[in-house]
Amino acid sequence: MYLEMKNIVRRFPGVLANDHICLEIEKGEIHGLLGENGAGKTTLMNVLCGLARPDEGEILIDGMKVEFGNCLDAIKCGIGMVHQHFMLVPVFTVTENFILGNEPRKGARIDTARAREMVLELSEKHGLKVDPDALIKDISVGMQQRVEILKALSRGAELMILDEPTAVLTPQEVEDLYRIMRSLQEAGHTIIFITHKLQEIKEITDRVTVLRDGRVVGIVRTKDVEQVELARMMVGRDVVLRVEKDQHAPGEVMMSVKDLRANDSRGLTKLKDITFDVRAGEIVGIAGVAGNGQEELVEVLTGLRKQESGSITLDMQDISQLNPRERMYAGLAHIPQDRQRRGLVMNFSLVDNFLLGYEDLKPFARGPMLDYREAEKFASKLIKMFDVRTPGSQILARTLSGGNQQKAILAREFQRDPKLLIAAQPTRGLDVAAIEFIHNELIKFRDQDKAVLLISMELTEILDLSDRILVIYEGEIVGEFKSGQATPEQLGLLMAGSKKGQM
């Protein structure tokens, strides 16, 4: 056995994150790691990468016990990790990022010519062609990922850990990543593949280890198990993997966006004459690769960013000049893409987070004071309605799992009884049980003749939930499809800017 993690225990105050976990990885395999949020996957990989020390247990490589005091020790033993959020400097070139921290020298100076040669040699060897002179900020997400993989390989990585590697890729880039993974496997490298997407586990892995509540609940050969069984192992119950929704006739236009233009933080045009409608009883999905204007669009619609021109109406009311609170009172709700930075105040209690936006409303506002007895009743009601797993309403938001943080935001926003909900990356980083819950709530909301604008990098989510799909590329809407008309391949091509779609 190439890698063995034996009886790994890792404790945090009040939490047993890894409970005597045993993980065995064969040389040259692609091994999947599955589990709900809080199951212990990240903690276990932090132990393997030298970012955390186990309280108990041991790690063996080729039968020899190893101890990692830090990540450099792990790198020396041939373990490399490509994080979900890339560790690259946007204003540096591919070559500069490639050698960062490991610069070849010619006397006292960095040997940039040799560094460039190293990039070309390694990229050619592994079929990971990149432009060594391109700036990171100017290349696609898929290319950036290649640079991260090349960096790990240049440091001698024999075991590669890929953490949610497909989260921001187009379907074509995902297929390219699979090709790269198989090529690395053929060259003798070993890969641990962490993902929430069951179809990816089936597509690319040889075996999979499933964690639940900090323990291993199963290790199976991927070809011998179906997705429904993997989901059951993860969650401990049956999970509906396909979104089940009936046809629903849309009503009147609820939001109308016309000729919307806006700049990014550098003053460069980011939205270019965006025009679309969202009707009552309809989910409109916006598909696109990260960085093509989705974030700016959400910020403009919610009043967090100034528009340069154009108009936004909600239920026939012009809200273009209203501030975020006024838009909320007009009937707009928002699930932000960054739940920890924009959705919750992490050091506030759950009850205080539920009160955000309600502070001056009855029955909570009593003169200059807040009625916390009413607030507690309100919080208890939302916790029960949305199945927020928490010891109580006074627990700090930062102590909740990602899925429960997202449920708390959903509960608060739905309780406003909005006319339109903007849901930005509503299931990012969540496990199958939390995704199932949130998808069902969005469909229920639509079926009440409310409107949903869904912005997601997950094509499966867009295809499953949307009644209409818009594709955004470089700040423009480049395609529009009704439900069932678009294929992942068509959307992927549009997302990459290769052709125009049906408009």
Side-chain angles (χ1 to χ4, degrees):
M1 193 60 63
Y2 172 54
L3 171 74
E4 297 174 84
M5 300 182 78
K6 293 186 173 183
N7 294 310
I8 298 296
V9 175
R10 176 66 176 166
R11 299 182 181 90
F12 297 99
V15 178
L16 182 57
N18 292 156
D19 185 1
H20 296 89
I21 287 181
C22 294
L23 179 67
E24 294 183 343
I25 307 293
E26 297 173 358
K27 183 72 173 176
E29 76 169 327
I30 299 176
H31 194 103
L33 193 61
L34 270 178
E36 290 188 273
N37 294 99
K41 304 186 303 297
T42 299
T43 301
L44 186 66
M45 290 300 100
N46 284 344
V47 168
L48 182 56
C49 287
L51 293 172
R53 288 197 173 195
D55 297 304
E56 298 177 32
E58 59 183 8
I59 301 172
L60 288 81
I61 296 179
D62 288 328
M64 300 291 292
K65 183 177 177 179
V66 294
E67 292 186 5
F68 302 146
N70 53 51
C71 57
L72 290 177
D73 292 339
I75 290 170
K76 289 174 184 176
C77 286
I79 297 173
M81 184 166 182
V82 176
H83 296 270
Q84 182 177 352
H85 302 288
F86 304 146
M87 307 296 183
L88 299 171
V89 182
V91 296
F92 281 11
T93 66
V94 168
T95 299
E96 288 166 341
N97 275 278
F98 177 80
I99 62 172
L100 194 60
N102 192 31
E103 298 87 352
R105 294 192 173 271
K106 196 173 187 178
R109 301 179 63 184
I110 295 174
D111 190 346
T112 52
R114 176 60 189 143
R116 192 175 183 278
E117 286 176 14
M118 290 166 59
V119 174
L120 291 172
E121 288 170 5
L122 200 60
S123 63
E124 183 68 28
K125 177 181 177 181
H126 292 285
L128 291 160
K129 292 186 178 180
V130 294
D131 180 355
D133 304 314
L135 295 176
I136 292 297
K137 66 183 179 66
D138 294 333
I139 63 177
S140 70
V141 175
M143 284 294 172
Q144 291 178 33
Q145 190 174 70
R146 289 186 180 195
V147 177
E148 286 280 32
I149 293 172
L150 284 171
K151 278 175 58 180
L153 291 171
S154 73
R155 287 155 173 76
E158 291 295 325
L159 170 64
M160 192 90 66
I161 302 167
L162 303 181
D163 185 12
E164 299 284 353
T166 65
V168 292
L169 301 183
T170 68
Q172 287 78 11
E173 287 173 327
V174 171
E175 288 300 322
D176 196 39
L177 175 63
Y178 289 167
R179 179 191 61 77
I180 291 166
M181 290 170 67
R182 292 186 181 106
S183 175
L184 290 172
Q185 184 182 30
E186 288 171 4
H189 293 275
T190 306
I191 297 171
I192 297 178
F193 183 72
I194 307 169
T195 181
H196 288 291
K197 303 173 184 177
L198 297 175
Q199 71 272 22
E200 292 182 352
I201 288 289
K202 289 290 292 179
E203 177 81 21
I204 195 64
T205 65
D206 301 304
R207 292 191 303 144
V208 57
T209 295
V210 183
L211 304 184
R212 188 169 76 235
D213 297 329
R215 299 176 181 175
V216 174
V217 294
I219 305 170
V220 295
R221 293 215 169 267
T222 311
K223 66 180 181 180
D224 298 332
V225 65
E226 298 298 327
Q227 290 187 36
V228 290
E229 179 59 26
L230 288 173
R232 190 181 300 116
M233 291 167 69
M234 286 174 63
V235 180
R237 62 172 175 83
D238 289 336
V239 178
V240 179
L241 298 178
R242 295 289 300 174
V243 175
E244 297 178 354
K245 65 184 177 81
D246 297 324
Q247 291 296 319
H248 189 81
E252 298 297 320
V253 171
M254 185 57 68
M255 172 176 272
S256 182
V257 177
K258 295 190 182 299
D259 300 323
L260 194 64
R261 295 182 70 86
N263 297 334
D264 63 14
S265 55
R266 297 171 296 170
L268 303 176
T269 301
K270 199 68 177 180
L271 299 179
K272 305 168 186 176
D273 300 319
I274 294 277
T275 296
F276 64 87
D277 293 332
V278 186
R279 296 179 176 274
E282 179 182 47
I283 298 176
V284 173
I286 295 186
V289 177
N292 278 278
Q294 300 96 315
E295 185 174 350
E296 289 79 7
L297 176 61
V298 171
E299 289 176 350
V300 170
L301 295 179
T302 55
L304 296 170
R305 180 181 294 270
K306 180 183 176 183
Q307 67 199 61
E308 297 301 313
S309 61
S311 65
I312 309 165
T313 60
L314 179 63
D315 197 19
M316 301 180 68
Q317 176 188 356
D318 190 337
I319 63 170
S320 305
Q321 304 305 315
L322 301 184
N323 63 38
R325 179 173 283 267
E326 290 168 336
R327 295 185 194 207
M328 179 185 74
Y329 287 150
L332 184 65
H334 176 210
I335 301 174
Q337 69 171 6
D338 190 333
R339 54 182 168 264
Q340 297 188 354
R341 188 165 64 93
R342 287 275 175 84
L344 298 167
V345 182
M346 301 306 288
N347 286 320
F348 276 18
S349 68
L350 190 52
V351 65
D352 284 331
N353 274 285
F354 280 141
L355 280 177
L356 294 176
Y358 293 91
E359 305 93 336
D360 55 352
L361 301 177
K362 292 182 179 180
F364 312 114
R366 299 213 171 187
M369 306 295 290
L370 280 170
D371 187 334
Y372 266 92
R373 182 175 295 176
E374 290 295 332
E376 286 284 358
K377 289 181 187 176
F378 181 62
S380 297
K381 171 186 170 185
L382 296 189
I383 288 168
K384 184 176 180 180
M385 283 176 61
F386 285 81
D387 191 30
V388 181
R389 307 288 176 84
T390 172
S393 62
Q394 292 299 327
I395 196 97
L396 297 184
R398 60 181 168 81
T399 65
L400 296 175
S401 71
N404 285 303
Q405 289 174 2
Q406 198 76 341
K407 286 181 183 180
I409 295 169
L410 205 70
R412 183 187 65 212
E413 297 305 301
F414 278 178
Q415 197 61 27
R416 302 189 200 285
D417 192 26
K419 299 171 183 176
L420 182 136
L421 173 71
I422 297 175
Q425 316 301 337
T427 61
R428 173 180 278 173
L430 302 187
D431 54 63
V432 289
I435 291 171
E436 176 193 43
F437 178 88
I438 289 170
H439 283 176
N440 287 336
E441 290 301 318
L442 291 175
I443 291 166
K444 276 194 245 176
F445 185 74
R446 178 206 71 163
D447 291 346
Q448 295 167 10
D449 286 325
K450 304 295 183 69
V452 178
L453 181 64
L454 170 68
I455 297 95
S456 178
M457 309 300 171
E458 300 288 349
L459 264 190
T460 302
E461 184 166 67
I462 290 287
L463 288 163
D464 284 350
L465 289 178
S466 303
D467 299 300
R468 277 191 300 127
I469 299 171
L470 307 176
V471 182
I472 190 169
Y473 176 72
E474 292 188 347
E476 297 181 83
I477 301 298
V478 296
E480 178 176 347
F481 301 88
K482 290 183 180 178
S483 176
Q485 284 185 339
T487 66
E489 292 73 26
Q490 286 176 309
L491 294 177
L493 288 170
L494 286 168
M495 288 161 63
S498 63
K499 69 173 186 176
K500 296 287 184 180
Q502 178 182 339
M503 294 293 287

